[in-house]
Amino acid sequence: MINLAELGRVFIICGKTDIRRGIDSLTYIVKKSFNLNPFSGCVFLFCGSRKDRFKALYWDG
């Protein structure tokens, strides 16, 4: 299990996201919709339509 607290700031993207999207699409959402840098070392969590599924976006360099 990955401890998200050790990775830095964690942003939870509220609302439904199509988690079938790829890395590029999720990066675009972070950049354009929230005006955040997806390459900053923060963790971005996306929730799908089912509330028990998440997808994480994290740039480790």
Side-chain angles (χ1 to χ4, degrees), residues 2-56:
I2 298 172
N3 186 358
L4 296 177
E6 293 177 359
L7 297 178
R9 295 178 70 184
V10 177
F11 291 94
I12 300 173
I13 309 299
C14 296
K16 293 181 184 178
T17 303
D18 185 3
I19 58 173
R20 296 176 296 175
R21 291 182 176 211
I23 300 291
D24 295 334
S25 296
L26 296 177
T27 301
Y28 182 80
I29 291 172
V30 169
K31 203 170 187 182
K32 295 298 179 185
S33 298
F34 300 102
N35 200 21
L36 296 170
N37 183 6
F39 306 108
S40 63
C42 299
V43 178
F44 300 93
L45 290 177
F46 296 88
C47 181
S49 59
R50 294 178 58 183
K51 302 300 181 214
D52 62 343
R53 312 271 182 195
F54 290 93
K55 192 170 199 177

